[in-house]
């Protein structure tokens, strides 16, 4: 239940009293107090409804991430980026970290094209166990060195709760991939961290499942969450790797205060379709894009089929920025 109090001071007092009574999962945003486990105000005898309550709002399952609880856009500050609100963020980098030189060169190209966040996987969730699994800590070190040399943020995927300390030692932003969107142990582990988490949509996840996954992270205390639509499974696997759910973007912008970004690389699956797919997501209200790049896509270790060259990235980012300026 979300109770909208007459003012923030009253809400503060109600929160203090709830904590005093050891009620679990009670949160406050300005004049709103959210009780995640309580659905009826009669259970809260210490609240004098007539005097202090403005209204009682609907109870979304994913409470803390909802706009009902937190009407203002969340803005996340990282060392080199401001994410959310009217900001527009560009993220680029190779699918996988391949070498120190390569991630540095791709980072330079990404930075020149306007990106502030350098992506790249060192722990790769591969469908096949015999496919390249990532360089592990060596990759993290090369990735960190490139980001530092360029003054960019580092973002990399984490797949297991046991890797939180190791990955957290290097990265600025944790990426939770589509295959782990409902890995609840992982969500809880990154929820205990103080660095932002980019949460991709599960490839078959409903909006409520996705927001509830974000709520898992928030429920552990980390509210710096970025949502990323990366395409969902549909019925055509011949021409579409995934289907960019453009329509979910305005839906999320309405339901949640969290930044909503899009990844057209994994949605489209082939280079030629990445740019139009990304531009459509921006037109729909995405607050940023993430793409995979490679200078020699046919030699990329992973996901070369969908990589943009640095030149193609410049073209996409220039157009995306223009569209964002029009729609914001
Ligand atoms: C990736 O970003 O390289 C990746 C594995 O993405 P997804 O989780 O969306 O498949
Ligand atoms: Mn990839």
């Amino acid at each position: 239940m979300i109770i909208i109090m007459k003012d923030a001071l009253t809400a503060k007092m109600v929160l203090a009293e709830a904590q005093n009574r050891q009620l679990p999962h009670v949160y406050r945003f300005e004049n709103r107090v959210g009780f995640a486990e309580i659905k009826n105000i009669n259970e809260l005898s210490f609240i004098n409804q007539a005097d202090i309550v403005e209204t009682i709002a609907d109870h979304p399952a994913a409470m803390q991430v909802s706009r009902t609880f937190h009407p203002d856009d969340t803005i996340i500050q990282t060392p080199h980026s401001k994410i959310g609100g009217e900001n527009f963020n560009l993220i680029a980098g190779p699918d996988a970290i391949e070498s120190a030189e390569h991630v540095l060169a791709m980072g330079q190209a990404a930075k020149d094209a306007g990106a502030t966040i350098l992506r790249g996987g060192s722990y790769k969730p591969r469908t096949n166990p015999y496919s390249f699994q990532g360089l592990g800590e060596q990759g993290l070190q090369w990735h960190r060195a490139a980001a530092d040399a360029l003054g960019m943020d580092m973002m990399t995927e984490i797949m297991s709760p046991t890797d939180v300390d190791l990955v957290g030692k290097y990265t600025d932003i944790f990426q939770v991939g589509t295959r782990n969107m409902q890995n609840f142990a992982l969500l809880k582990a990154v929820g205990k961290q103080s660095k932002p988490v980019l949460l991709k949509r599960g490839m078959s996840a409903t909006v409520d499942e996705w927001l509830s996954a974000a709520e898992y992270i928030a429920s552990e205390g980390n509210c710096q969450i970025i949502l990323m639509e990366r395409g969902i499974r549909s019925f055509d696997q011949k021409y579409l790797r995934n289907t960019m759910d453009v329509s979910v973007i305005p839906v999320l912008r309405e339901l949640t205060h969290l930044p909503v970004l899009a990844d057209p690389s994994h949605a489209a699956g082939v280079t030629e379709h990445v740019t139009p797919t990304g531009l459509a997501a921006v037109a729909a209200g995405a607050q940023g894009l993430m793409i995979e790049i490679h200078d020699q896509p046919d030699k990329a270790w992973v996901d070369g089929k969908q990589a943009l060259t640095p030149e193609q990235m410049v073209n996409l980012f220039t157009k995306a920025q223009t569209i964002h300026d029009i729609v914001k």
Side-chain angles (χ1 to χ4, degrees), residues 12-308:
K12 244 184 203 170
M13 283 160 43
V14 167
L15 175 68
E17 183 56 25
Q19 284 166 342
N20 200 20
R21 290 169 185 247
Q22 298 186 334
L23 295 179
H25 303 303
V26 187
Y27 308 97
R28 179 182 81 89
F29 179 73
E30 293 175 350
N31 65 333
R32 288 151 201 255
V33 184
F35 296 84
E37 293 187 18
I38 293 173
K39 298 203 167 57
N40 187 335
I41 195 160
N42 296 331
E43 291 175 48
L44 301 168
S45 56
F46 64 95
I47 295 181
N48 181 334
Q49 208 171 333
D51 290 350
I52 60 172
V53 173
E54 181 85 41
T55 58
I56 298 176
D58 287 347
H59 181 85
M63 192 183 74
Q64 290 189 77
V65 303
S66 74
R67 267 206 203 274
T68 316
F69 175 65
H70 186 302
D72 305 340
D73 276 356
T74 279
I75 297 186
I76 297 170
Q77 180 75 60
T78 63
H80 302 285
S81 317
K82 227 181 203 177
I83 307 161
E86 297 231 319
N87 301 294
F88 187 62
N89 293 100
L90 298 170
I91 308 172
D95 171 282
I97 303 300
E98 299 181 4
S99 70
E101 297 72 30
H102 188 256
V103 65
L104 182 61
M106 293 304 95
Q108 184 70 62
K111 187 176 177 170
D112 292 345
T116 59
I117 303 172
L118 177 57
R119 66 146 284 143
S122 289
Y123 293 88
K124 294 296 308 165
R126 304 307 302 279
T127 303
N128 190 309
Y130 308 117
S131 301
F132 172 61
Q133 304 283 309
L135 293 176
E137 188 169 8
Q138 175 69 89
L140 297 177
Q141 287 167 350
W142 289 338
H143 192 170
R144 179 74 261 165
D148 285 343
L150 297 163
M152 298 178 81
D153 292 322
M154 166 177 171
M155 182 169 82
T156 197
E157 179 156 3
I158 177 158
M159 296 201 298
S160 162
T162 55
D163 290 341
V164 162
D165 290 340
L166 176 65
V167 175
K169 201 169 108 189
Y170 294 96
T171 199
D172 296 304
I173 304 171
F174 291 102
Q175 174 177 328
V176 174
T178 192
R179 293 163 186 80
N180 278 308
M181 190 206 81
Q182 283 188 316
N183 178 342
F184 300 117
L186 178 62
L187 299 176
K188 286 183 189 177
V190 292
K192 292 191 177 74
Q193 301 298 303
S194 56
K195 290 180 174 172
V197 180
L198 179 130
L199 179 66
K200 287 194 168 195
R201 182 186 192 173
M203 59 185 87
S204 306
T206 65
V207 170
D208 282 343
E209 285 165 346
W210 191 7
L211 291 174
S212 294
E215 189 79 8
Y216 260 92
I217 301 170
S219 72
E220 296 293 334
N222 188 353
C223 297
Q224 300 186 87
I225 307 161
I226 303 152
L227 301 175
M228 179 169 278
E229 163 64 31
R230 48 78 72 199
I232 51 174
R233 272 285 162 86
S234 186
F235 44 84
D236 195 332
Q237 295 276 290
K238 186 172 165 197
Y239 298 102
L240 307 168
R241 181 176 182 184
N242 291 288
T243 298
M244 169 67 82
D245 186 359
V246 170
S247 50
V248 87
I249 295 167
V251 170
L252 288 172
R253 296 294 309 274
E254 186 179 297
L255 291 177
T256 177
H257 52 89
L258 300 176
V260 180
L261 276 61
D263 164 3
S265 298
H266 292 87
V270 288
T271 302
E272 294 70 28
H273 304 152
V274 171
T275 295
T277 306
L279 295 179
V282 179
Q287 289 152 295
L289 289 180
M290 176 168 95
I291 56 154
E292 291 184 344
I293 55 169
H294 206 284
D295 47 350
Q296 292 178 286
D298 50 336
K299 298 216 171 82
W301 293 4
V302 186
D303 276 352
K305 258 174 63 190
Q306 66 195 31
L308 297 195

